[in-house]
Amino acid sequence: MKAAVVVENGKDLEVKDVEVPKPKNNEVLIEIEACGVCHTDLHCKIGDWPVKPDLPVIPGHEGVGKIIELGSNVTNHKVGDRVGLPWLYKACGDCEFCLNGQETLCPYQLNGGYSANGAFAEYAVAPADYAIQIPEGVDSAEIAPVLCAGVTTYKAWKVSGAKPGDWVAIYGIGGLGHLGLQYAKAMGYKVVAVDIQDSKLDFAKKLGADHTVNSKKVDPVEDIKNVTGNGVQASMSVAVNKTAFEQAYHSVKRGGSVVFVALPNEDMPLPIFDTVLNGVSVKGSIVGTRKDQQEALQFAADGKIKTEFKTDKLENINDIFTKMENGEIEGRIVLEF
Ligand code: NAD
Ligand code: ZN
Ligand code: ZN
């Protein structure tokens, strides 16, 4: 089968023929139809995170396809089912986090396209219990980005504790941000969209942003305070940039919360005094559980959020990463097979 492989960090991916994987007893074999390209795949290529990928690895954790073979113990899927291969490739199912509904915090988890082979390939295996059932009647390429970009931002808003009617701010209107903005609207928030490119902000307006700010031209914190009165109830940074995190922190009002989602390998100073006196919560949020996935997918199946995407070919993966590094992608690029 054809696959794109990270062989060495910092080098281009190799698109080559590799053997079709065999499903183990508790796994399914999926014929991949579509897979979104996430900025996390670019981190996997570069190797800039403290936790390194297990190389060589096939990236891709927004994979959608049909099951063509079942391992001997699999009973929860059948051949022909359409499933998703997500970042939470597998968790242990037994630790305190798995048992209390926080499976994305499982210390023993494997991650699709990072510590286990993902879906930048014609075929992939996935543990049957963690392969996500895709709702009927949705296009595979269109739904693929929901498996990471969608569920991650949906979950982050849940973690933020914002309520319908609240003002929220989202920094970075890229793959995650353009879905996060739509979930925010669907969840009843008033939304400020922040990016450093006017084209992304025009796009944000089309998606329903109530206010937009170009943080290269205007101080977003001051602007947000002017527009909302005293700041937003919750903010989220999905921009791979420390400055955006600092601005997201300073955008929230007293009692508000800031959710860290993007993953630049950087530290930021946190003002202790202001955090205490203003009762600000700083939270991290990582993808979503299988239950979050079902909910996030249902929003898409109900037409409440819509992925903006362009399809491309596996062979062009290195050019796609160049475009991503230059911030030239509107919404998501989805590989089609
Ligand atoms: P992307 O490249 O599609 O989008 C990034 C966006 O940020 C672009 O629109 C860019 O113009 C904008 N941007 C850059 N600098 C900015 C700044 N200073 N202020 C405001 N906007 C700015 O990336 P993506 O696929 O959306 O992923 C974003 C990040 O989220 C990556 O680090 C990825 O690894 C991480 N991620 C985290 C999780 C999680 O579970 N926490 C899940 C998926 C991805
Ligand atoms: Zn992702
Ligand atoms: Zn566990």
Side-chain angles (χ1 to χ4, degrees), residues 80-329:
D81 279 3
R82 200 160 51 131
V83 292
L85 186 160
W87 176 253
L88 185 68
Y89 185 81
K90 185 185 180 172
C92 81
D94 250 348
C95 69
E96 66 171 293
F97 305 101
C98 283
L99 291 177
N100 72 8
Q102 294 176 296
E103 62 195 16
T104 55
L105 304 183
C106 175
Y108 312 107
Q109 69 185 276
L110 289 179
N111 298 118
Y114 207 80
S115 48
N117 279 331
F120 284 2
E122 290 172 308
Y123 301 90
V125 289
D129 287 348
Y130 292 84
I132 307 293
Q133 194 74 33
I134 301 292
E136 306 256 310
V138 294
D139 177 68
S140 293
E142 187 173 342
I143 201 82
V146 175
L147 289 165
C148 176
V151 74
T152 298
T153 49
Y154 168 65
K155 175 64 175 249
W157 289 133
K158 289 214 288 186
V159 165
S160 81
K163 302 273 187 314
D166 284 340
W167 274 105
V168 300
I170 182 159
Y171 281 77
I173 308 302
L176 265 66
H178 92 286
L179 289 180
L181 163 52
Q182 295 179 64
Y183 278 107
K185 288 306 297 175
M187 291 161 92
Y189 308 148
K190 288 183 281 191
V191 187
V192 183
V194 187
D195 205 291
I196 53 173
Q197 291 181 48
D198 284 332
S199 60
K200 302 281 173 71
L201 299 171
D202 292 341
F203 176 40
K205 277 182 207 143
K206 278 197 257 161
L207 297 175
D210 297 279
H211 182 69
T212 61
V213 195
N214 184 327
S215 57
K216 264 228 164 116
K217 297 184 180 162
V218 178
D219 176 356
V221 174
E222 209 173 288
D223 190 60
I224 284 173
K225 300 235 152 129
N226 284 338
V227 169
T228 60
N230 51 1
V232 292
Q233 179 62 38
S235 70
M236 174 193 309
S237 177
V238 284
V240 196
N241 181 298
K242 168 178 148 185
T243 306
F245 281 74
E246 289 171 347
Q247 291 166 336
Y249 173 87
H250 289 289
S251 302
V252 302
K253 65 178 177 186
R254 290 178 169 227
S257 59
V258 49
V259 189
F260 287 3
V261 176
L263 288 153
N265 188 6
E266 291 179 289
D267 294 334
M268 69 172 257
L270 209 54
I272 296 169
F273 191 84
D274 284 351
T275 304
V276 174
L277 262 75
N278 297 337
V280 170
S281 304
V282 179
K283 303 172 178 184
S285 187
I286 175 80
V287 290
T289 63
R290 289 167 290 176
K291 181 70 172 62
D292 297 319
Q293 287 278 16
Q294 284 176 350
E295 294 168 10
L297 286 165
Q298 198 56 49
F299 274 77
D302 292 343
K304 294 193 176 107
I305 63 125
K306 208 172 172 339
T307 304
E308 176 76 25
F309 69 102
K310 278 204 179 71
T311 57
D312 208 328
K313 294 202 185 86
L314 185 71
E315 288 79 0
N316 296 335
I317 187 64
N318 292 304
D319 292 339
I320 296 169
F321 280 144
T322 305
K323 283 192 195 139
M324 186 175 271
E325 277 180 307
N326 296 334
E328 290 166 4
I329 297 172

Side-chain angles (χ1 to χ4, degrees), residues 38-41 61-62 87 148-149 152 176 287 332:
C38 178
H39 205 114
T40 292
D41 301 312
H61 55 270
E62 291 181 349
W87 176 253
C148 176
T152 298
L176 265 66
V287 290
R332 263 290 193 247

